[in-house]
Amino acid sequence: MASHFLFPQNLRAIEEEREDNLLYAQKPIDVASLSSSELEEFVKGASFDLSDKEVFCIEEQDMFDRVYSLVRGFCSLIPSCKVIVVESLRSNLSVLLPNIDSLSRQDDETPMLDRISSFRNAFKIYTFFLFNIVLAEESNSASSNNAKVTASVRRKKPISSWNWEPQRGRHHYMAQSCASILHLIHKYDFVVTSMADAVAGAEKRFADGTLASSLIREIGRTSPKAYVKDTVGAENIGRFLVELADRLPKLLSINIGVLVPHFGGESYKIRNALVGVLGKLVAKAFKDVEGEMSSKSVRLRTKQAMLEILLERCRDVSAYTRSRVLQVWAELCEEHSVSIGLWNEVAAVAAGRLEDKSAIVRKSALNLLIMMLQHNPFGPQLRIASFEATLQQYKNKLNELEPNKPSESPIDGLPYDDDGEVDNNANAEQIIEEQPDSLTDSLSYMDQGIAEKDGSVPDVGNLEQTRALVASLEAGLMFSKCISATMPTLVQLMASSSATDVENTILLLMRCRQFQVDGADACLRKMLPLVFSQDKSIYEAVENAFITIYIRKNATETAKNLLNLVVDSNIGDQAALEFIISALVSKGDISGSTISALWDFFCFNINGTTAEQSCGALSVLCMAAKSSPGILGSHLQDIIDIGFGRWAKVEPLLARTACIAIQRLSEEDKKKLLLTNGSRIFGILESLVTGFGLPDNIWYAAADKAIGAIYMIHPSPEIIAAEIVKKSLSSVFNGTEGHASENDINSSKDSICSAVQVAKLGRYLFVVSQVAMNQLVYIESCVRKIQKQKVAKDKMDADGTANADKQKDNSINAELGLAASEDAILDMLAEKAEKEIVSGGSSEKNLLGECAPFLSKLCKNFSLMKKYPELQASAMLAVCRFMIIDANYCDANLQLLFTVVENAQSEIVRSNCIIALGDLAARFPNLLEPWTENMYARLRDPSVSVRKNAVLVLSHLILNDMMKVKGYINEMAIRVVDEDERISSLAKLLFHELSKKGSNPIYNLLPDILGKLSNQNLERESFCNIMQFLIGSIKKDKQMEALVEKLCNRFTGVTDVRQWEYISYCLSQLTFTEKGMKKLIELFKTYEHALAEDTVMDHFRNIINKGKKFAKPELKVCIEEFEEKLNKFNLEKKEQELTARNAEIHRQKVSNMEGFVVASNEREGSADSDTDGEVINASTEGTNQSLDELSKSKFVASEESSAASSDVTESEADGFEVTSPKVDTRGVCKTRAKKSQMREPKGTVSAAARRSIRSKQR
């Protein structure tokens, strides 16, 4: 620890030897005896040491002696040397002052008291020396003026003199200039850049930074509150500081301490600017820019503090500042100014900011991670397994080099710079200079290291170099794990309502995939459904990413990427792929050569092609055919031969895909297929449906597409469909009649399932229902076709292509209404055809109609269905399809459907039923309207799958105005806090979309939801989360003001405390305008009775606190008066309730005492008298005592309010007080009554002792 410094009486007194370890000049130097060259060298040497070392170096004896010598001989120095000395002392003092905040930081090496002592010492020394320089110059200036007056002759000024007056005048001029410049900057934004150029130019031209320093200090001295009011001025000042930092980093780094306090101000614009300033300075500090040594020293001293501030500002209260900090970190990464030691810390901060509530912060965090990946110092690939394998190999190598030493911490192996921070540059230089391969190059050995476990790793040099590489690999592994851990968050961001979130997330995932980050490919797959987004920018981002990932210049490689993508995709992803592939084909991004390559894969023309890849290639071709149907026409024969040939047995999905390809054929290709292979293809499709060559899990999907293909290409599909139904029926019942099965079902026996196989029956039911649905679609397509022909014909007639007589007939028909009757006839025929599918339009039953009653009876046999859940799934699916087709059948079986959807054990059956209910509600809304409550009840299903489907179905119906919302929407509101995150997100999406419709229906639904939720057994936290979300979707001020009145009126007539709390909570979540606050004050009478509850009062206090923030002075007075009124009323209500409660307690206690006395009186006649003739019931007295002890405080209060008095107060041995109230003694023994009113005299036996004696006597 350095010696202490005490202020001496004068400068020369420092040379006197001191005791008690005090600092004094031991070896001063006479600078006057030095030559000019020696003097200049001595001054520059002292100045260099002052700037190069720490600011506390002035305590060192050698430095103290040298500076003292210069100060003592200051008058003999030439002006240039004087400037150097003063500037060095001033610079160190300016750096010392802002560092006072760092004294409180813990440092294991230096105790806090020692740091404070050193700071105090250095501060006193610097100020003492500077003060003596000022005194010396002042006295020198005064003596020069006196000499001028007495000599009265002009003399040439000595060369060593320093004219102080111009300096003082310059200071005043500088102050005026600073004021003018700052005024211009505050007022005009266009002068900011020009002023920064002028100030920087003055410093460079005249080598004098006084003007810039004065401006910075003036800005620092300004109160932070001033910038809150002057937002424009704050923005201009911030821009000026950033521009100045870019031009004069050295000067600003010296004076940064005066600006740091503004980080605590309320103006986020100033904080943003200071963050930008720190970024500029850190970037300069990390680079070895040529310049004075003092500038380098300042950078080294302040760099770590700046980095700590930047990390701390990532948690700033303002989203704008948090965003700006992340942008600065991205700039530093781009300039390679972030060391390896800080790399993972910055990455962790950025990963945490991905979940920030502000979209601009999330955007900046995503961009920062993109920049960190692009400029990462760890290599071109970041697979965790590769890092771990290579790291383990080099650790083994390190252990071989130091077998007797324990392994060190990874960070210990990294080289450090002067300020204790990990030096990235030193590490890089060490590895590059002393080993042939850099860290990035060494990572190329990772895969080799995994493949060759016993192989040796490349030799990187000696022990220190190996340790440095191990530490770097450890840091790289941490970075890889950090980025990989963000994947779940990135998946959530892709579902964000903010388009910027989605776009930047896709860009980050693309970058992650480029660097082979674990999990990036799986996350990119989840972006495919975003192609259906209505936001054009999101669709373009997905399309660009898709092209970048999967489309290559090599057609074969592109085809392989696409077919592998389809093979690994689920149904939802395949729908998205179909959309995007068809779009790319229409745009030409998927070329004809790629289509040819896909055909080569399908036809097994490429070696090594599997049946699965062939199926995938055909799937891609089907997707491409959606926009270009002619693609499939060139290989019709291949589709039939391969799709339904022997390869279909190897890959069952190939037959299904071939059916889809047949449906996608163009009209010309369909005609060509019918002419060349019509009978063959229909025979194949029929055998596919009625045969048993495919397993059940594939057959259902294949049969669906096969029946669809028949209806798509056959000229009379109902004929072949009838044959398929008959063959399917015969295969199930082996030729037996259908009514025999009905008899078995009516008898509630399982003989039907013993006579037939359940799997075959399920297939038959699927075929029947699928044919019925396709028949309905076919009828509708025929109607549309006729309508199109009629429209085309009318258009031709209108164009004059027909003769005049025909036009005349058409006009007459139009006048007579015959044209309209044609449409009515068409509708009537269509309706009749639809009815004949199930119920039949005539007395004769049709083929499908025979199955309808059988289905109903089968599904009503719940015991049978419970035994065979797979059969129940097929049967209920068929029933639902029949209900969709026929209204009468639907009306007759609605009770059955809702019974099954509520009681079925299989969640698959319940999910299918709820999906079917959505279709029924769209087709027959009047029939389903009475069952609305039952449909909403499925939102409470214990199965996650059923609840999710219920949310999807109801959301579709609500958003398309096909279902009434009011009355049951509270069930959907509860799903906002569902335990399943997917369901919660879907429910929130519904309300988000609902809020966009019209005048926001949520505003009208909110009171109803509040009332329903208040009466349900819902946790308080869940209720608060639901209402907070719903209220947040209301943005209009008028609706907020109206809600204030609605919610206040709900207090009227409500006596439940819980509902008071809920209503007041909702009020506290509203955004109050001036009108809303006035309305709340006016409606005081409606909620005054609820103010006695503390929770209600807390919510009103929150409202008042929020109101004070935006209120004008006039309104603020009203709010403060309202607050006083609330507090006063709250206290009064509490006092009234307390009084009433105490009175009730007193009444109950008196009643209990009367009962005890009466009981004692009844037992008095049979009890023995004691020595004084007094009979006391010990149990009664004990009961009274315990009652008094438990309600002592409340009872005393009640006595005061009710004017009751106590007769006897006795002190118990244990210190408790027993109070006997006055009671009615009528009917009690006179002796007992008299003795009970006597006060026991002093010195007699205590009450406790007396009771003890009596109990013993008993």
Side-chain angles (χ1 to χ4, degrees):
M1 182 177 176
S3 303
H4 291 286
F5 176 78
L6 292 180
F7 287 114
Q9 295 181 353
N10 52 61
L11 184 62
R12 294 279 182 175
I14 292 180
E15 300 178 15
E16 298 176 0
E17 185 175 356
R18 302 188 181 188
E19 299 177 354
D20 300 332
N21 195 26
L22 295 179
L23 189 62
Y24 68 97
Q26 297 181 5
K27 297 178 181 180
I29 300 173
D30 185 10
V31 296
S33 62
L34 299 176
S35 63
S36 58
S37 59
E38 293 175 342
L39 178 61
E40 186 174 357
E41 183 178 356
F42 181 76
V43 171
K44 288 185 177 180
S47 176
F48 172 79
D49 289 340
L50 282 172
S51 60
D52 186 59
K53 297 180 179 180
E54 293 290 334
V55 291
F56 304 110
C57 67
I58 195 70
E59 295 180 293
E60 299 174 6
Q61 188 63 54
D62 178 63
M63 180 58 65
F64 182 82
D65 291 345
R66 291 155 66 190
V67 174
Y68 167 73
S69 302
L70 290 174
V71 174
R72 187 183 64 178
F74 189 81
C75 296
S76 61
L77 299 178
I78 60 176
S80 60
C81 291
K82 288 182 177 181
V83 171
I84 292 174
V85 173
V86 173
E87 180 63 21
S88 298
L89 294 174
R90 183 204 62 79
S91 174
N92 278 25
L93 181 62
S94 65
V95 173
L96 179 68
L97 292 178
N99 287 343
I100 190 170
D101 293 334
S102 64
L103 295 177
S104 59
R105 297 174 185 164
Q106 294 297 327
D107 188 354
D108 296 336
E109 297 179 0
T110 308
M112 182 181 293
L113 293 178
D114 292 348
R115 293 199 302 272
I116 294 175
S117 177
S118 296
F119 183 91
R120 185 189 298 113
N121 256 10
F123 178 73
K124 290 195 292 185
I125 295 171
Y126 283 124
T127 53
F128 179 75
F129 284 158
L130 286 171
F131 180 69
N132 277 277
I133 289 174
V134 173
L135 290 179
E137 287 302 313
E138 287 285 358
S139 61
N140 186 30
S141 176
S143 62
S144 297
N145 291 335
N146 293 334
K148 289 179 184 178
V149 173
T150 53
S152 68
V153 288
R154 284 181 169 246
R155 294 183 181 179
K156 190 175 181 179
K157 294 183 179 179
I159 193 170
S160 62
S161 65
W162 184 0
N163 194 348
W164 200 257
E165 287 302 324
Q167 296 293 332
R168 187 178 287 109
R170 181 170 171 239
H171 173 73
H172 291 301
Y173 177 75
M174 192 68 65
Q176 294 175 1
S177 301
C178 289
S180 301
I181 292 173
L182 291 177
H183 173 73
L184 292 174
I185 293 174
H186 271 276
K187 196 169 184 181
Y188 306 106
D189 57 347
F190 57 85
V191 305
V192 172
T193 306
S194 301
M195 285 298 178
D197 289 335
V199 173
E203 194 273 342
K204 292 178 181 178
R205 182 175 181 181
F206 302 105
D208 186 2
T210 308
L211 177 61
S213 300
S214 300
L215 288 170
I216 295 170
R217 288 175 181 149
E218 189 63 31
I219 293 171
R221 280 195 293 267
T222 305
S223 173
K225 294 182 179 179
Y227 293 121
V228 178
K229 300 176 182 178
D230 184 12
T231 56
V232 177
E235 185 173 359
N236 294 343
I237 289 293
R239 286 176 51 209
F240 175 74
L241 288 174
V242 174
E243 295 287 344
L244 206 59
D246 191 36
R247 292 163 174 77
L248 300 174
K250 167 202 163 184
L251 187 142
L252 202 61
S253 63
I254 295 174
N255 296 279
I256 190 65
V258 300
L259 299 175
V260 170
H262 282 276
F263 275 116
E266 296 182 11
S267 175
Y268 72 87
K269 293 185 177 181
I270 290 294
R271 297 201 301 273
N272 289 1
L274 293 179
V275 165
V277 168
L278 291 180
K280 296 287 185 184
L281 299 183
V282 168
K284 303 294 183 182
F286 270 89
K287 295 180 180 179
D288 293 327
V289 183
E290 294 182 0
E292 296 183 6
M293 297 303 297
S294 60
S295 176
K296 179 182 177 181
S297 176
V298 170
R299 288 199 300 271
L300 292 175
R301 285 197 299 265
T302 57
K303 180 177 63 177
Q304 185 63 28
M306 292 178 183
L307 292 173
E308 290 179 2
I309 292 174
L310 285 177
L311 285 173
E312 181 184 355
R313 285 297 110 190
C314 291
R315 296 183 291 273
D316 194 278
V317 67
S318 171
Y320 296 104
T321 304
R322 296 196 300 272
S323 174
R324 179 61 185 141
V325 175
L326 296 174
Q327 292 171 12
V328 168
W329 278 115
E331 295 170 2
L332 294 176
C333 291
E334 188 175 10
E335 296 176 3
H336 304 283
S337 298
V338 180
S339 65
I340 294 179
L342 272 177
W343 196 268
N344 286 310
E345 190 172 356
V346 175
V349 170
R353 288 299 101 194
L354 291 178
E355 301 182 32
D356 197 282
K357 62 181 181 181
S358 174
I360 59 173
V361 180
R362 297 194 298 269
K363 177 183 177 182
S364 299
L366 290 166
N367 289 332
L368 172 55
L369 289 175
I370 292 172
M371 197 63 63
M372 295 189 77
L373 281 170
Q374 185 174 349
H375 299 281
N376 84 86
F378 307 114
Q381 64 92 5
L382 298 172
R383 291 199 302 268
I384 294 177
S386 299
F387 265 105
E388 289 176 342
T390 305
L391 178 62
Q392 186 59 44
Q393 292 173 347
Y394 278 104
K395 278 186 175 180
N396 295 338
K397 183 74 174 179
L398 184 61
N399 292 334
E400 293 175 3
L401 294 174
E402 47 174 16
N404 298 326
K405 294 184 179 180
S407 58
E408 298 181 6
S409 173
I411 303 301
D412 296 339
L414 292 175
Y416 286 78
D417 58 14
D418 295 339
D419 57 352
E421 184 185 335
V422 179
D423 190 356
N424 187 20
N425 296 328
N427 180 41
E429 290 173 2
Q430 206 174 32
I431 295 173
I432 292 172
E433 291 177 2
E434 301 183 12
Q435 72 178 65
D437 297 328
S438 66
L439 172 63
T440 301
D441 297 330
S442 69
L443 294 176
S444 63
Y445 293 95
M446 289 182 179
D447 296 332
Q448 180 181 356
I450 296 175
E452 303 175 6
K453 295 182 180 179
D454 298 332
S456 60
V457 295
D459 190 5
V460 296
N462 57 24
L463 176 63
E464 293 301 324
Q465 294 163 357
T466 305
R467 184 182 288 117
L469 181 57
V470 168
S472 298
L473 287 170
E474 281 280 5
L477 178 60
M478 290 175 62
F479 180 65
S480 300
K481 290 182 177 179
C482 178
I483 299 298
S484 181
T486 63
M487 294 301 152
T489 306
L490 296 180
V491 172
Q492 294 179 359
L493 286 177
M494 282 196 292
S496 173
S497 58
S498 172
T500 56
D501 282 349
V502 180
E503 295 173 32
N504 288 284
T505 300
I506 292 175
L507 291 177
L508 175 57
L509 287 173
M510 291 285 293
R511 190 68 69 184
C512 290
R513 184 180 181 275
Q514 178 184 347
F515 285 89
Q516 303 177 29
V517 175
D518 295 338
D521 286 329
C523 289
L524 280 171
R525 292 282 183 89
K526 296 182 180 180
M527 79 173 179
L528 292 176
L530 295 175
V531 296
F532 300 113
S533 174
Q534 297 179 353
D535 194 315
K536 186 178 179 181
S537 61
I538 294 178
Y539 170 77
E540 291 177 350
V542 176
E543 187 181 75
N544 293 334
F546 188 88
I547 293 172
T548 304
I549 297 172
Y550 302 109
I551 307 301
R552 297 285 184 270
K553 292 182 179 180
N554 189 330
T556 304
E557 188 178 352
T558 301
K560 192 171 184 179
N561 289 339
L562 293 177
L563 67 89
N564 288 334
L565 181 63
V566 170
V567 168
D568 296 336
S569 299
N570 55 32
I571 295 177
D573 291 341
Q574 287 182 5
L577 281 172
E578 181 176 317
F579 184 86
I580 193 170
I581 287 176
S582 62
L584 294 178
V585 169
S586 61
K587 292 180 180 179
D589 292 322
I590 295 180
S591 61
S593 58
T594 302
I595 300 298
S596 299
L598 287 168
W599 281 120
D600 290 338
F601 275 106
F602 172 67
C603 298
F604 297 92
N605 294 334
I606 297 177
N607 293 332
T609 303
T610 63
E612 188 180 31
Q613 289 179 325
S614 175
C615 180
L618 185 58
S619 297
V620 177
L621 290 168
C622 292
M623 295 174 182
K626 191 171 184 180
S627 60
S628 181
I631 290 175
L632 299 173
S634 60
H635 291 74
L636 282 177
Q637 194 64 40
D638 292 329
I639 293 174
I640 297 173
D641 294 341
I642 299 175
F644 300 107
R646 63 184 181 87
W647 290 106
K649 297 179 181 179
V650 180
E651 176 55 46
L653 284 175
L654 194 55
R656 174 183 178 273
T657 310
C659 293
I660 297 174
I662 292 174
Q663 295 183 48
R664 297 283 171 88
L665 292 174
S666 63
E667 294 298 327
E668 296 179 359
D669 293 331
K670 288 178 183 177
K671 294 177 182 178
K672 181 180 177 182
L673 179 64
L674 290 175
L675 291 174
T676 57
N677 294 288
S679 58
R680 181 188 175 193
I681 190 65
F682 290 128
I684 291 173
L685 293 175
E686 182 178 339
S687 63
L688 179 65
V689 176
T690 58
F692 295 90
L694 297 176
D696 285 344
N697 59 336
I698 303 296
W699 179 87
Y700 283 97
D704 178 13
K705 299 302 178 183
I707 295 172
I710 291 172
Y711 272 89
M712 186 66 68
I713 62 175
H714 200 283
S716 300
E718 65 275 5
I719 297 175
I720 189 173
E723 292 297 325
I724 291 174
V725 172
K726 290 177 182 178
K727 287 186 178 181
S728 180
L729 178 63
S730 63
S731 67
V732 173
F733 296 102
N734 296 322
T736 58
E737 296 296 333
H739 63 270
S741 299
E742 292 183 28
N743 294 334
D744 290 338
I745 296 171
N746 291 332
S747 61
S748 299
K749 294 181 179 180
D750 293 347
S751 58
I752 178 176
C753 293
S754 62
V756 301
Q757 294 182 8
V758 173
K760 290 183 178 180
L761 180 59
R763 288 192 177 193
Y764 165 68
L765 296 178
F766 178 82
V767 170
V768 171
S769 61
Q770 189 67 26
V771 168
M773 286 297 297
N774 279 275
Q775 186 68 23
L776 177 64
V777 174
Y778 176 70
I779 293 171
E780 292 177 348
S781 65
C782 291
V783 171
R784 286 196 300 270
K785 188 176 181 180
I786 295 172
Q787 290 174 343
K788 286 182 180 179
Q789 292 176 351
K790 184 176 181 298
V791 170
K793 183 180 178 182
D794 293 341
K795 187 177 182 181
M796 291 175 62
D797 294 341
D799 292 340
T801 56
N803 54 40
D805 293 338
K806 195 169 185 179
Q807 291 183 358
K808 185 176 180 180
D809 292 340
N810 290 337
S811 62
I812 293 173
N813 290 336
E815 291 178 2
L816 295 176
L818 297 179
S821 64
E822 291 180 3
D823 295 335
I825 292 172
L826 183 62
D827 293 339
M828 182 183 67
L829 291 174
E831 183 179 355
K832 183 179 179 181
E834 291 178 2
K835 285 185 177 180
E836 287 180 350
I837 297 175
V838 176
S839 60
S842 61
S843 59
E844 296 181 1
K845 290 186 177 180
N846 54 25
L847 181 62
L848 301 180
E850 286 283 349
C851 186
F854 166 77
L855 267 176
S856 300
K857 293 176 182 179
L858 178 64
C859 293
K860 289 178 181 177
N861 192 337
F862 297 116
S863 59
L864 183 66
M865 294 296 97
K866 185 177 181 181
K867 186 176 181 181
Y868 301 103
E870 294 180 357
L871 179 62
Q872 185 183 28
S874 298
M876 284 306 303
L877 182 61
V879 167
C880 292
R881 286 175 171 174
F882 276 24
M883 292 173 68
I884 292 172
I885 295 169
D886 191 87
N888 295 329
Y889 190 81
C890 174
D891 191 19
N893 290 277
L894 274 176
Q895 180 70 51
L896 169 65
L897 179 58
F898 278 101
T899 302
V900 172
V901 81
E902 291 177 5
N903 301 323
Q905 292 183 347
S906 173
E907 65 178 26
I908 297 176
V909 174
R910 300 202 303 273
S911 295
N912 289 341
C913 291
I914 193 65
I915 294 171
L917 283 171
D919 296 333
L920 289 172
R923 184 163 171 81
F924 307 119
N926 293 333
L927 292 179
L928 269 293
E929 196 275 334
W931 300 89
T932 302
E933 183 178 0
N934 300 77
M935 292 182 66
Y936 274 100
R938 290 304 88 215
L939 293 170
R940 299 192 298 269
D941 196 280
S943 169
V944 174
S945 175
V946 177
R947 291 204 308 274
K948 185 189 75 172
N949 287 315
V951 172
L952 288 170
V953 168
L954 292 173
S955 299
H956 172 72
L957 296 175
I958 291 170
L959 294 177
N960 290 280
D961 300 323
M962 291 185 288
M963 175 170 282
K964 186 170 63 174
V965 179
K966 194 171 184 180
Y968 311 103
I969 194 64
N970 58 291
E971 297 291 345
M972 184 66 76
I974 296 177
R975 293 306 108 211
V976 171
V977 292
D978 194 280
E979 58 186 9
D980 185 78
E981 188 175 354
R982 171 69 173 160
I983 297 175
S984 175
S985 300
L986 290 172
K988 290 178 180 178
L989 181 61
L990 165 65
F991 286 106
H992 177 71
E993 295 296 327
L994 195 62
S995 65
K996 298 178 182 178
K997 299 187 65 175
S999 59
N1000 193 352
I1002 296 179
Y1003 158 72
N1004 295 318
L1005 296 172
L1006 195 65
D1008 181 50
I1009 294 174
L1010 171 61
K1012 295 287 180 63
L1013 294 182
S1014 299
N1015 295 323
Q1016 291 187 357
N1017 187 18
L1018 198 64
E1019 294 183 1
R1020 177 179 177 82
E1021 182 180 0
S1022 300
F1023 174 86
C1024 294
N1025 292 335
I1026 294 171
M1027 298 309 298
Q1028 184 180 18
F1029 171 77
L1030 294 178
I1031 293 173
S1033 62
I1034 301 175
K1035 306 298 182 183
K1036 294 182 180 179
D1037 291 342
K1038 289 186 178 180
Q1039 292 180 344
M1040 285 287 186
E1041 295 164 5
L1043 276 177
V1044 173
E1045 184 173 0
K1046 287 185 177 182
L1047 292 176
C1048 288
N1049 289 331
R1050 291 190 74 89
F1051 279 103
T1052 306
V1054 176
T1055 57
D1056 186 8
V1057 175
R1058 185 182 180 186
Q1059 292 195 29
W1060 292 349
E1061 295 175 353
Y1062 284 169
I1063 297 171
S1064 59
Y1065 173 79
C1066 294
L1067 277 172
S1068 67
Q1069 296 303 308
L1070 297 178
T1071 302
F1072 279 85
T1073 60
E1074 184 174 351
K1075 291 183 180 179
M1077 185 59 70
K1078 290 181 178 178
K1079 187 168 291 186
L1080 180 69
I1081 297 174
E1082 293 172 0
L1083 295 170
F1084 178 78
K1085 290 292 183 182
T1086 59
Y1087 53 81
E1088 62 177 358
H1089 58 282
L1091 294 177
E1093 297 298 325
D1094 291 336
T1095 308
V1096 176
M1097 194 63 192
D1098 291 340
H1099 292 154
F1100 274 95
R1101 289 193 181 101
N1102 292 336
I1103 296 172
I1104 291 171
N1105 293 333
K1106 287 197 298 186
K1108 288 180 179 179
K1109 293 180 180 179
F1110 69 84
K1112 297 178 181 178
E1114 300 84 6
L1115 181 61
K1116 205 169 215 179
V1117 175
C1118 297
I1119 294 176
E1120 290 174 353
E1121 294 177 355
F1122 178 59
E1123 183 178 16
E1124 294 178 1
K1125 184 177 181 180
L1126 285 178
N1127 292 330
K1128 181 179 179 182
F1129 200 84
N1130 176 252
L1131 292 175
E1132 291 177 355
K1133 278 287 183 182
K1134 281 188 174 182
E1135 291 177 357
Q1136 292 175 4
E1137 289 188 358
L1138 180 62
T1139 302
R1141 189 162 54 247
N1142 289 338
E1144 179 64 19
I1145 292 172
H1146 175 66
R1147 186 189 65 77
Q1148 293 178 359
K1149 186 173 180 181
V1150 170
S1151 177
N1152 291 336
M1153 290 295 297
E1154 290 178 353
F1156 294 146
V1157 172
V1158 171
S1160 300
N1161 188 28
E1162 291 175 354
R1163 289 191 295 269
E1164 186 176 308
S1166 59
D1168 295 331
S1169 300
D1170 56 6
T1171 55
D1172 57 355
E1174 184 178 18
V1175 179
I1176 296 179
N1177 190 329
S1179 62
T1180 301
E1181 190 168 351
T1183 303
N1184 294 340
Q1185 179 185 359
S1186 63
L1187 185 62
D1188 285 342
E1189 290 174 351
L1190 290 174
S1191 59
K1192 173 184 172 184
S1193 58
K1194 296 181 180 179
F1195 180 68
V1196 173
S1198 65
E1199 284 183 327
E1200 294 176 355
S1201 59
S1202 59
S1205 61
S1206 299
D1207 288 337
V1208 180
T1209 302
E1210 297 177 346
S1211 178
E1212 292 283 9
D1214 56 359
F1216 286 100
E1217 196 174 64
V1218 179
T1219 305
S1220 302
K1222 180 183 293 185
V1223 297
D1224 190 1
T1225 57
R1226 288 177 294 177
V1228 184
C1229 177
K1230 291 183 180 180
T1231 304
R1232 177 176 174 83
K1234 185 182 299 183
K1235 291 186 177 181
S1236 66
Q1237 296 176 3
M1238 292 176 58
R1239 186 174 297 276
E1240 189 176 34
K1242 280 188 178 182
T1244 58
V1245 181
S1246 65
R1250 190 173 69 248
R1251 282 197 297 271
S1252 178
I1253 295 171
R1254 293 170 183 161
S1255 62
K1256 289 180 181 180
Q1257 290 177 351
R1258 289 176 180 271

